[in-house]
Amino acid sequence: MRLVQLEAGGVRRTALVDGGRLQVLRAYASVYDLAQAAIERGIRLAALVEESVSGRTEDYDAVYEGRSEWRLLPAGDHPTEPARCLVSGTGLTHLASASRRDAMHAGTAQLTDSMRMYLWGEEGGRPEPGQVGVAPEWFYKGNGTILKAHNEPLLVPRFGEDGGEEPEIAGVYLIDAHGVPRRLGLTMGNEFSDHKHERRNYLYLASSKLRTCSIGPELVVDAEFGAVQGQVSILRGAEVLWKHDIGSGEARMSHTLANLEHHHFKYDQHRRPGDVHVHYFGADAFSFGGGLELAEGDVMQVQFDGFGRPLRNPIQLDRAVDALVAVVPC
């Protein structure tokens, strides 16, 4: 079951993907509202979706291609308070990504901190059910204001050095009234980052992540996360500039999904009732690792089998001159 969020003229709707049609749901303007209602009634999200189809449909091709009055929103968000959506991620969960990070940071023959952390995951990131494994790398992206939808540009800010895609799968969560994290589904994502800035010094990793990012277009309810195949591409006009097969899921990762979720939600501040969390699970390959530098207007495309239509975002450069942000005494 795959869901999308739509908006037109300030009006939001949620819809079920049904081939080339979008089955609009009645009563629920967002996945957030839908999930809250399912929790209150004590039924599964999928069951509530099935009973909420209104009979009204929209042409998915027109919406997806930007030819409709309706536009796609991120596949999960907080509909009224973006600051109550925490966007974060986990790195060094895939061997290919860890190897690229290792090469980026290596300056000696010694094992880098990046590879050491990945190996910790190999050794202790897959505990027995009910047990706690080793903690992964964790990073903060921002709040819901940085989340972009399919077709929306991802911005290299005026102070940025670069911008590059990181094709990943992300989890979308809602904290219920009792402080229990509820996984609403999984979605494709582009955890856009500044790799040149990070390459200067690995301690710049935290600030390199403070960029816009995207998820969607579809939220997959009860998604399979064993072994997921996909492809990432960079398009410049009609030309495919670069592409690479990618993989994710527990079979390709050094941590189980349960272990990643535990180490994110173990913090009390991450279990505040009513909050939404979007958490990226790590990338397998990205074009910066292949030596490519993206230019204005290049389109980053992410696709994973079973996760719906590809997620596409153009890159946009803020060409304004960097200027001091002055703090004014109160």
Side-chain angles (χ1 to χ4, degrees), residues 188-227:
M188 293 184 291
N190 182 348
E191 192 268 292
F192 190 67
S193 300
D194 189 333
H195 299 107
K196 281 188 177 181
H197 183 58
E198 178 194 348
R199 188 172 59 181
R200 287 184 179 274
N201 187 304
Y202 76 95
L203 296 177
Y204 279 146
L205 172 71
S207 53
S208 76
K209 297 294 187 181
L210 298 176
R211 302 291 186 270
T212 54
C213 55
S214 62
I215 58 170
E218 303 172 22
L219 179 70
V220 186
V221 179
D222 294 329
E224 291 290 334
F225 197 59

Side-chain angles (χ1 to χ4, degrees), residues 51-251:
E51 69 176 51
S52 301
V53 174
S54 67
R56 171 187 168 188
T57 67
E58 296 290 340
D59 181 354
Y60 195 6
D61 286 341
V63 175
Y64 182 78
E65 295 166 8
R67 297 184 286 104
S68 168
E69 63 174 337
W70 295 98
R71 69 180 183 93
L72 287 160
L73 296 172
D77 63 357
H78 194 296
T80 58
E81 297 182 75
R84 295 198 65 183
C85 175
L86 173 67
V87 186
S88 57
T90 298
L92 303 175
T93 52
H94 297 68
L95 177 58
S97 178
S99 298
R100 288 180 174 85
R101 179 92 70 83
D102 184 60
M104 189 187 300
H105 298 160
T108 71
Q110 296 178 345
L111 194 67
T112 67
D113 287 339
S114 296
M115 186 54 71
R116 185 176 292 112
M117 179 162 279
Y118 171 78
L119 293 175
W120 286 348
E122 285 283 349
E123 295 166 3
R126 307 181 66 84
E128 293 297 320
Q131 301 298 310
V132 175
V134 68
E137 177 191 56
W138 183 95
F139 56 83
Y140 172 72
K141 285 288 293 181
N143 62 34
T145 60
I146 68 167
L147 275 181
K148 301 300 178 183
H150 168 74
N151 273 341
E152 290 189 302
L154 300 184
L155 180 68
V156 178
R158 65 181 187 274
F159 52 82
E161 299 181 56
D162 186 33
E165 86 295 341
E166 294 207 14
E168 308 186 21
I169 292 173
V172 179
Y173 304 86
L174 170 65
I175 311 302
D176 72 16
H178 303 288
V180 177
R182 302 289 192 118
R183 187 194 313 124
L184 308 186
L186 304 180
T187 182
M188 293 184 291
N190 182 348
E191 192 268 292
F192 190 67
S193 300
D194 189 333
H195 299 107
K196 281 188 177 181
H197 183 58
E198 178 194 348
R199 188 172 59 181
R200 287 184 179 274
N201 187 304
Y202 76 95
L203 296 177
Y204 279 146
L205 172 71
S207 53
S208 76
K209 297 294 187 181
L210 298 176
R211 302 291 186 270
T212 54
C213 55
S214 62
I215 58 170
E218 303 172 22
L219 179 70
V220 186
V221 179
D222 294 329
E224 291 290 334
F225 197 59
V228 185
Q229 302 301 316
Q231 189 174 79
V232 56
S233 306
I234 304 299
L235 297 86
R236 183 168 292 171
E239 178 187 1
V240 178
L241 200 62
W242 179 88
K243 66 179 179 179
H244 202 287
D245 290 335
I246 51 177
S248 191
E250 291 187 332

